[in-house]
DNA sequence: CAGCAGGGGGCGA
DNA sequence: CGCCCCCTGCTGG
C-alpha cells in the first residue's frame, strides 16, 4: 500500500483532467482525497461518495436478490430488448388504478378539451382558450394540489423504498389516497434503478440523434420532420434557428418517398389552447427541501469555459468524427458520446449520468430530471387522460397522442406516400419504417 | 396505430 | 437554469 501511494503520489502531481479517465480506482481515490482538502467542499463531496457507495451496496444487494429469483426473471432465455426490460416490468407492475380513474364517466364536458374548438371552428380562439384554460385549471386543481403536497413530502433517502425491478410497487410506500408519489430526492447519485435507466439512456441516447439526422436527410422538406405550414403562422415554434436545428441535410441522398402538405398545423392550433398542463402549476419546488448541492452538475460543465465543447481525450464509445453532423454539434458528452449543438442541452443530458434525475416515480422507479416529465409519466399510472378528441371518444394522456390520433382518424389525406409502392401513411415514422422494408428487399 | 420516453428548443426568472 | 412544450422514435398489440 505504501508503494502504491508513492506511485500515485508521483502521478498526482501531474494529473490533469484529461487523464482522469485513465486512472484506476485507487489512484482516483487518492487524488480525490488529496485535493478535497484544498477545497471547502468536503461535505458535498462526501455526500456524493455516500451516494455512490450506497448505490454500489444496493447493486450488490440486488444482484444477490436476482440470483435467488432465478425462475421467471432474467435467467429466462427470452430475449428482452435492452431498455425495454425495465419498461416491461414497469408495465407489469403497473397498478390497476387505471380502471378506477377512468370509471368515473368522464362527463361529456369534463375532459373535452380541444374539442369545442374543433367542432366549432368559427369560435373565437382566445375566448375559447380562456374558457378552456379555466375549465382545465379547475379540473386539475385537485391533482395539482395533490402532487404539490407529494412533492413537498420528501422522504428521507434512507427510508425511501428504493424502487427496483424486483420490487413490486406495493412495496413502495403508497397510500390509498395517493398512489403516486412524486418524490424529489435530496441527494442522489442515481440509485440502482436510476443507474439502470441511465445506462439504458446512454445506450439509447446516441441513436436518436443519428436517427433524426437520417430522417431529416430523408425528409429535407421540413426542419422538424413534419411539413410546416406554408403560412407558418404557428406560434413561436417556427424557429429562427431552423437552420441551426439540424445540419444541412445532404440533399443528394435519395429520398424515395414524399410528404405532401398535411393538416398538422391546423391540428396543432386546435389543440393548442387545450393543454391541461398549463394548469398544473407548482409552486417553486426548489423550496421544497431539495438541496442543490451542485451534484447534478457534471464535471464536464464545471471544468471548462461555458462556450467550449467538452474535453475528452478518451476514445469515444461512438464514432464521433463524422464530419458535418458533429461540426454542428460540438458539445459532446464524454461519457456516452451524446452530442448537442447547445451547451444547455448538454447540461440537460448530463443529468442522465449524474444525480440530475431528481424526480422519481414511486410507483415504478422512473426517474426524470424534469418535473414536468414526471407529471406526464404519472398519468401512465393514474390513467388520467386530459386530452380528448372532439370528433370521437378517444382520450389521451399526452398531447402528442391526440395529435397523432387526429391525423390518423380525422384527417382525409395521408401526407406521406411511398414512391416505390402505393403505401401511404399519415405518420412520418411509419413511412420511415416502411422504407426500411423496401431497403431490405 | 397507440403508448410512452426523451431530444431539442423557447421562455421567463 | 428550470419549466413547459413540440416533435419524433421505438415498441407492442
Ligand atoms: Zn452522456
Ligand atoms: Zn411510474
Ligand atoms: Zn377522434
Ligand atoms: Zn413502399
Amino acid at each position: 500500500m505504501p508503494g502504491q501511494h508513492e506511485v500515485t503520489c508521483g502521478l498526482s502531481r501531474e494529473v490533469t483532467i484529461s487523464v482522469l479517465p485513465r486512472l484506476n480506482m485507487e489512484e482516483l481515490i487518492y487524488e480525490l482525497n488529496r485535493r478535497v482538502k484544498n477545497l471547502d467542499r468536503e461535505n458535498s463531496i462526501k455526500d456524493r461518495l455516500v451516494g455512490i457507495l450506497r448505490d454500489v451496496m444496493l447493486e450488490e444487494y440486488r444482484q444477490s436478490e436476482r440470483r435467488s429469483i432465478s425462475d421467471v426473471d432474467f435467467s429466462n432465455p427470452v430475449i428482452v430488448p435492452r431498455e425495454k426490460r425495465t419498461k416491461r416490468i414497469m408495465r407489469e407492475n403497473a397498478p390497476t388504478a387505471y380502471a378506477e380513474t377512468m370509471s368515473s364517466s368522464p362527463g361529456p364536458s369534463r375532459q373535452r378539451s380541444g374539442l369545442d374548438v374543433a367542432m366549432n371552428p368559427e369560435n373565437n380562439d382566445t375566448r375559447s382558450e380562456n374558457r378552456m384554460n379555466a375549465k382545465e385549471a379547475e379540473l386539475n386543481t385537485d391533482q395539482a394540489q395533490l402532487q404539490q403536497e407529494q412533492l413537498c413530502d420528501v422522504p428521507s433517502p434512507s427510508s425511501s423504498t428504493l424502487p427496483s425491478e424486483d420490487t413490486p410497487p406495493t412495496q413502495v410506500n403508497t397510500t390509498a389516497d395517493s398512489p403516486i408519489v412524486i418524490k424529489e430526492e435530496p441527494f442522489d447519485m442515481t440509485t440502482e434503478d436510476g443507474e439502470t435507466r441511465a445506462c439504458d439512456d446512454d445506450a439509447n441516447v446516441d441513436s436518436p440523434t443519428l436517427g433524426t439526422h437520417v430522417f431529416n436527410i430523408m425528409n429535407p422538406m421540413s426542419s422538424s420532420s413534419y411539413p410546416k405550414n406554408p403560412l407558418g403562422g404557428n406560434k413561436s415554434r417556427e424557429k429562427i434557428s431552423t437552420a441551426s436545428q439540424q445540419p444541412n441535410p445532404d440533399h443528394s441522398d435519395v429520398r424515395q418517398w414524399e410528404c405532401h402538405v398535411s393538416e398538422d398545423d391546423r391540428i396543432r392550433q386546435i389543440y393548442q389552447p387545450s393543454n391541461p398542463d398549463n394548469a398544473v402549476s407548482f409552486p417553486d419546488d426548489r423550496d421544497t427541501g431539495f438541496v442543490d448541492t451542485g451534484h447534478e452538475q457534471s464535471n464536464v460543465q464545471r471544468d471548462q469555459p461555458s462556450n467550449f465543447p467538452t474535453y475528452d481525450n478518451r476514445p469515444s464509445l461512438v464514432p464521433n468524427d463524422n464530419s458535418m453532423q458533429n461540426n454542428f454539434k460540438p458539445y459532446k458528452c464524454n461519457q456516452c458520446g451524446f452530442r448537442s449543438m447547445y451547451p444547455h442541452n448538454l447540461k440537460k443530458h448530463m443529468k442522465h449520468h449524474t444525480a440530475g434525475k431528481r424526480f422519481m416515480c414511486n410507483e415504478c422507479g422512473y426517474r426524470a430530471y424534469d418535473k414536468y416529465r414526471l407529471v406526464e409519466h404519472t398519468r401512465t399510472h393514474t390513467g388520467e387522460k386530459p386530452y380528448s378528441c372532439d370528433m370521437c371518444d378517444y382520450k389521451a394522456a399526452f398531447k402528442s397522442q391526440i395529435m397523432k390520433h387526429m391525423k390518423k382518424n380525422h384527417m382525409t389525406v395521408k401526407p406521406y406516400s411511398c414512391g416505390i409502392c402505393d403505401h401511404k401513411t399519415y405518420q412520418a415514422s411509419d413511412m420511415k419504417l416502411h422504407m426500411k422494408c423496401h431497403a431490405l428487399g
Side-chain angles (χ1 to χ4, degrees), chain A residues 361 363-364 366 377 381:
Chain A
C361 171
E363 201 71 9
C364 69
Y366 167 79
H377 163 83
H381 299 309

Side-chain angles (χ1 to χ4, degrees), chain A residues 202 205 333-338 349-350 353:
Chain A
D202 292 352
V205 89
C333 169
N334 67 349
Q335 296 187 43
C336 75
F338 167 88
H349 165 82
M350 291 312 292
H353 301 303

